[in-house]
Each structure stands twice: as C-alpha cells, then as structure tokens.
Amino acid sequence: MHPPSFDTAAPHDPPQPRSPRDLFVSFTWLALQGFGGVLAIVQREMVEKKKWLTPEQFLEDWAVAQVMPGPNVINLALMIGDRYFGLRGALAAVAGMLTIPLGVILALAVLYAHYAANPQVAGALRGMGAVSGGLIAATGIKLIPQLRKHPLGFAACLGIMALVFSAIALFKIPLGWVLLVVGGAACVWTWRKIAP
C-alpha cells in the first residue's frame, strides 16, 4: 500500500514527494543537472536535500538499479516513483528524467554534428568526462560508511569492492561476468547471513 499523497503528515514522518507532479519536476531538475551521469546529483538531492531516501535506502535501491536491465538512474527513478505513488509515480519520475532532457539532447546533437571537427569542442567533452568520473567516485566514497551496517561486515564489503575494481579495471573482465559471479556470490553470502 502506498503512502497518502496529501500534505497533512505528522511532523515525525520522513519527507516525501507531495504528488506525481512533484516527482516529475524533481527528476526533470535532476536530469538537467547531469552530464555523463547523474548518480552523484541523485544521491545529493534525494538523500541529502529532499531526504526522500535514507543513505541505506539509496544504497539498497542503487544496488537493485545496477543489476536491472536498462539505465541505472531510470531504474532508480522507477523504484522511487513506485514507492510513493505506484504506477503513476513511476511514470511521472521516468517522464521527468526523459522528456525535457530529450529535447536538450536533440538540440545538442544538432550542434555537435555541426561543430564536431572543432578541437575545442572535443577537448571540452573530454574534460566533462573527467568531471563525470570524479562525481561518480565522490558518490561511491560517500556511500562507503553505510557499508558498516551491512550483514557481511565492513572488511568483507571492502574486499568485495576491491575484487570488483580489480576484475573490471585491471583484468578487463566484462561487467556482466563480474556482476554474475561476484555479485551473485555476494548476494548468496548475504542471504545466508541474514536467513533465520
């Protein structure tokens, strides 16, 4: 059952979106702030500013969004929208992530086609790629303290992180295989730890 969409919540209730329109506007704003990925922006807005998710909820939802097919942030928007307003919320959140940014992307594609040969444009895009990588790394570092509460323990979580990093970055193992083998093993290990 989904929470009510009116504004008369008790003071101790956690903040939540007021309506599907609020979700649409919020996710449109998130999408317009991102270039090369909006993970860091979503974490800051949803957890730190709006407080619609706790750090633990964000980490759990992001983990699920990572293994589902499709773009991670779209998956996350679907889950957040559904949590508060069911199908209407899911559709509003995804529409917010896609509608106006699609128009911006189409306009940028036309501009890029016209100026692609310009070395300054290529340099600017490479610089934005570096910034995007830094944003993703910063978000990952922010989420590390939440691993202290994980059933496997902090040291095991850090070991799994190191294993995944090594497999992908150093040994060039495809992401799908790493998710299947390491992610599957971590899921089974966690399930055994929390099983009654």
Side-chain angles (χ1 to χ4, degrees):
M1 184 170 169
H2 298 287
S5 60
F6 45 84
D7 279 310
T8 57
H12 64 279
D13 288 344
Q16 64 183 43
R18 295 182 299 276
S19 65
R21 182 173 183 243
D22 189 13
L23 281 168
F24 176 84
V25 170
S26 297
F27 278 101
T28 297
W29 176 240
L30 289 175
L32 290 173
Q33 293 179 69
F35 193 98
V38 293
L39 169 61
I41 297 160
V42 171
Q43 191 271 340
R44 186 185 70 228
E45 291 287 327
M46 296 289 117
V47 176
E48 297 173 16
K49 288 189 175 178
K50 292 184 180 290
K51 301 190 187 305
W52 289 353
L53 298 172
T54 65
E56 293 83 7
Q57 287 174 322
F58 180 80
L59 191 60
E60 290 169 6
D61 286 356
W62 185 251
V64 173
Q66 290 272 72
V67 297
M68 289 171 57
N72 301 337
V73 178
I74 300 296
N75 294 339
L76 186 64
L78 270 169
M79 293 184 326
I80 293 172
D82 178 68
R83 174 176 288 144
Y84 291 109
F85 298 103
L87 180 60
R88 287 185 317 134
L91 293 175
V94 171
M97 287 297 296
L98 297 176
T99 306
I100 296 175
L102 177 62
V104 172
I105 292 296
L106 291 174
L108 288 174
V110 170
L111 285 173
Y112 180 73
H114 190 265
Y115 295 104
N118 188 322
Q120 286 88 359
V121 172
L125 290 175
R126 279 194 298 275
M128 289 179 191
V131 169
S132 180
L135 288 171
I136 292 169
T139 301
I141 291 167
K142 277 185 180 179
L143 295 174
I144 287 175
Q146 304 312 316
L147 295 177
R148 294 185 188 283
K149 302 172 185 173
H150 196 279
L152 296 181
F154 189 61
C157 288
L158 289 180
I160 292 169
M161 286 172 50
L163 180 61
V164 169
F165 176 82
S166 300
I168 294 171
L170 304 178
F171 298 108
K172 311 288 187 213
I173 298 173
L175 176 62
W177 286 110
V178 174
L179 274 175
L180 185 64
V181 176
V182 180
C187 287
V188 170
W189 188 13
T190 303
W191 179 75
R192 286 187 175 172
K193 281 271 193 183
I194 63 175

